[in-house]
Amino acid sequence: MNFDRIAPYFKRLEKIVFNNLMQQCRTAHLTALPGVKKVALVGEGDGDFLIELLKRCDCEQVHYIDSSQAMLKLARNRLQEHSEEAVKRVEFFHRDLISESMPDQDYDLIVTNFFLDVFNEESLVDSISKITASCKRGTFWLYADFQISGGKFQQLRAIIWLNLMYLFFKIVAQIQAHKLVDPSMILEQQGFQLKAVSEFGRGLMRSELRQRD
């Protein structure tokens, strides 16, 4: 997978297609978080959520993990424009969880926004296992992504949207997945229990707050 080609246009495309819905979905449960010290943002892209996290959460250390060098560069630039002081709290890692492990241990917050949907089922299980291995007891997990739910019309609408998006990202970023795999069962098997859930875009997207038991 390689998002370098699409990185400069990602934010603009998101705004054109979904306006502000994806960012609302990402940030839905930020205010519900208790105090966290060490955060891992995995596959977070160009940095939109990072800025909101730093505004709303007084975390001491953030590890920003992405497989795209172009996305990491955009996120670094956005962070520097936001606050020189905040730069000291963030460390960037160029990592691909398909072939590499997490850069550190003992995270008390994991964030995977619109990231887990790029994996096929086998790689999804492996990636979630790698992330879980870097967590401690009581770790929170913020998850935002697309879903197929609701009545027949909602499900059909979601399937059409997802088929178009998977085709597009298969061409421009060579993603693994060709269909959406719901990670809920895998997260629960790893001990992350659902605490709160919100839906956006008439059920096309959902945001979850989970915690490891």
Side-chain angles (χ1 to χ4, degrees):
M1 292 186 287
N2 190 336
F3 282 82
D4 285 351
R5 257 201 315 172
I6 193 68
Y9 315 105
F10 198 86
K11 184 178 179 181
R12 190 180 308 165
L13 283 170
E14 178 182 315
K15 292 286 186 183
I16 291 170
V17 179
F18 294 113
N19 196 5
N20 201 40
L21 280 176
M22 288 179 68
Q23 186 69 348
Q24 289 176 25
C25 191
R26 292 183 187 103
T27 59
H29 299 292
L30 271 181
T31 54
L33 283 173
V36 292
K37 294 183 178 180
K38 189 173 182 180
V39 182
L41 305 188
V42 188
E44 191 52 51
D46 60 7
D48 256 3
F49 178 84
L50 172 64
I51 303 306
E52 288 303 314
L53 175 73
L54 293 171
K55 285 178 182 176
R56 303 190 200 185
C57 179
D58 192 25
C59 46
E60 297 175 2
Q61 189 177 15
V62 178
H63 286 178
Y64 202 91
I65 304 155
D66 205 286
S67 64
S68 167
Q69 289 279 24
M71 289 289 195
L72 289 169
K73 183 178 179 181
L74 287 169
R76 281 194 194 96
N77 292 341
R78 185 163 291 162
L79 178 62
Q80 288 169 351
E81 290 171 5
H82 167 67
S83 167
E84 285 293 335
E85 183 64 30
V87 172
K88 301 172 185 176
R89 296 160 61 192
V90 183
E91 190 172 356
F92 293 89
F93 294 89
H94 182 226
R95 294 285 172 102
D96 185 346
L97 290 188
I98 292 176
S99 56
E100 298 175 279
S101 298
M102 293 285 283
D104 209 344
Q105 301 289 313
D106 297 326
Y107 296 107
D108 48 17
L109 173 62
I110 300 293
V111 181
T112 54
N113 288 326
F114 299 97
F115 167 68
L116 299 180
D117 58 358
V118 303
F119 297 107
N120 60 32
E121 188 167 3
E122 182 181 355
S123 293
L124 180 62
V125 172
D126 186 51
S127 296
I128 290 177
S129 297
K130 287 177 180 178
I131 296 171
T132 300
S134 72
C135 300
K136 54 188 181 181
R137 291 284 296 273
T139 294
F140 287 89
W141 192 312
L142 278 178
Y143 160 81
D145 224 318
F146 297 98
Q147 65 174 357
I148 299 171
S149 69
K152 289 183 179 180
F153 176 77
Q154 278 184 299
Q155 290 184 33
L156 178 61
R157 171 175 166 266
I159 289 168
I160 292 170
W161 268 114
L162 288 166
N163 284 343
L164 289 170
M165 285 189 286
Y166 276 112
L167 177 61
F168 176 76
F169 285 107
K170 197 78 164 176
I171 294 169
V172 302
Q174 297 88 49
I175 64 170
Q176 276 190 346
H178 63 274
K179 65 177 182 178
L180 184 67
V181 180
D182 189 340
S184 298
M185 187 66 70
I186 305 167
L187 289 167
E188 287 173 9
Q189 288 170 349
Q190 294 287 352
F192 286 92
Q193 302 302 313
L194 185 64
K195 298 296 181 182
V197 62
S198 302
E199 292 189 342
F200 297 85
R202 292 179 289 175
L204 182 61
M205 310 169 197
R206 82 172 182 267
S207 175
E208 295 182 352
L209 175 62
R210 292 178 174 268
Q211 187 176 20
R212 194 180 191 189
D213 53 21

